[in-house]
Amino acid sequence: MNDIISKNTHRIFLSTFFFMSGFSFSTWASRIPTIKMAFGFNDAELGSILLAMPVGSLIGLPITGWLVSKYDSRIPLTVGYALNSLAMALIGFTHNTVALVVAVVLFAFTSRIFNISMNTQAITVQKLYTKKINGSFHGFWSTGGIAGVAFSTILLALNASIQVHFMIVACITLLMAVYSFRFLLKGDRSASGNKIIIGKPDPYIMCLGIVAFLSAVCEGGMFDWSGIYFQQVLHVEIFTYGYLIFMLFMAMSRFLSDLIIGKIGMSATYLMSALFIISGIAMAVIIPHFWIAMIGFSLVGFGTASVIPMSYSMAGNSRKYSAGMAISIIATYYITGTFLGPPLIGYLAHAFGLRIAFIVFGLCGLLLIPVSQLVFKYKKFEEEII
């Protein structure tokens, strides 16, 4: 009974970290239109600011790999998350472009550290269970995102400043991280496979990385530009509606993902995800009306939701790398896509308009089909999730 209680406690508090991670990120993303207006950026200039995100994330690549090999994942997870809370508060109090870029780089850098650690711990906790639970962790991330957008919407309606908003969220998440630390799983540091092997790339990990990249371009772009799409294209005063429906259906899909994968397999789930993304973007771009866009954004959220949980789960079976290092490599693709997508959309929107720029997401969904199937050429386990 103690073992059952122990593993359930680990699961609950790790789920809390996933929830608060989604809450924090959606808080930042939902306020991007506020930052855009406050600094007077055009779409291209905003895209350049958002480019600071992948820079900070890539700086964290070697450091994250070293941390997950030297310490139990709960240590960089908690410390990274605490520092991420402080970086968020700093963003709210910047008053010039240089300070904003520095704060955004720190936010991305610390996000990199705790996200890799969090997903590494999730794979270890999954091994304590016979049933599939990995999708539920990401479901809590999306649920946190919904809560974050809802909270942002309330504060926007109350005309709360971004400084007050970010400070409140930073304090809540910081306290939660400190309290939850003692309940996280200990002793999950891997003794082998902790170094990146220079030479011929592992095709299995590389394909998973490209799949993650394509999905991340869609996710990152929707996170950062959905509010602006509703504001500029649809002329909706409360611009968080699109982001909220996107996150709502992403959360729903992630809680259902373990069941769906068990029924149709991962290969078919990748295909289904791609088709949802393509059809959702097509609806929103071709018919730019409020309710059509809401339906389209919900389909994109449902489609992107399962891709990353599946890819991280499959990474845990790498024969070449430890779970932490395999996730770190794939997360490099993912985070690069998450943070390169928004500036790319910004540049395209400045040149051709935001509706045309959103076609990029549909193209990424289309490419998901052949690349995801390549994964199963190298690893034949459609029904298996570790």
Side-chain angles (χ1 to χ4, degrees), residues 178-307:
V178 172
Y179 178 75
S180 300
F181 172 75
R182 58 180 174 153
F183 299 106
L184 296 175
L185 188 70
K186 302 178 182 178
D188 63 338
R189 182 169 67 92
S190 178
S192 61
N194 290 316
K195 295 182 179 179
I196 296 178
I197 302 173
I198 305 299
K200 184 178 179 180
D202 182 346
Y204 172 62
I205 294 297
M206 184 174 68
C207 285
L208 281 174
I210 295 173
V211 165
F213 175 85
L214 293 171
S215 177
V217 170
C218 295
E219 283 190 33
M222 293 296 288
F223 289 150
D224 291 1
W225 287 96
S226 59
I228 295 173
Y229 191 90
F230 268 63
Q231 184 184 58
Q232 293 185 0
V233 177
L234 305 180
H235 307 293
V236 177
E237 184 176 354
I238 304 297
F239 50 76
T240 52
Y241 284 138
Y243 189 21
L244 184 59
I245 197 71
F246 172 77
M247 293 299 296
L248 179 64
F249 275 80
M250 176 176 276
M252 185 189 307
S253 178
R254 282 181 168 169
F255 281 117
L256 293 172
S257 64
D258 291 327
L259 177 63
I260 293 171
I261 293 167
K263 294 289 186 180
I264 67 176
M266 282 193 282
S267 179
T269 304
Y270 274 123
L271 292 175
M272 181 188 71
S273 298
L275 293 175
F276 274 125
I277 293 170
I278 296 167
S279 58
I281 290 298
M283 291 178 66
V285 170
I286 295 172
I287 311 175
H289 296 289
F290 177 79
W291 288 111
I292 300 298
M294 288 285 279
I295 295 171
F297 277 35
S298 67
L299 291 177
V300 177
F302 202 91
T304 56
S306 298
V307 176

Side-chain angles (χ1 to χ4, degrees), residues 108-182:
F109 175 77
T110 52
S111 294
R112 168 73 186 213
I113 292 175
F114 82 75
N115 269 304
I116 300 302
S117 305
M118 187 168 64
N119 280 284
T120 299
Q121 177 135 150
I123 285 182
T124 308
V125 173
Q126 169 69 85
K127 293 177 180 178
L128 301 177
Y129 289 81
T130 56
K131 64 179 181 178
K132 303 177 182 69
I133 64 167
N134 195 58
S136 68
F137 288 128
H138 294 269
F140 278 107
W141 188 95
S142 297
T143 304
I146 294 169
V149 177
F151 187 60
S152 296
T153 302
I154 292 171
L155 292 187
L156 282 169
L158 295 174
N159 293 317
S161 69
I162 190 172
Q163 292 86 2
V164 171
H165 185 181
F166 279 14
M167 183 59 71
I168 291 172
V169 174
C171 290
I172 293 172
T173 54
L174 181 61
L175 291 173
M176 185 64 69
V178 172
Y179 178 75
S180 300
F181 172 75
R182 58 180 174 153

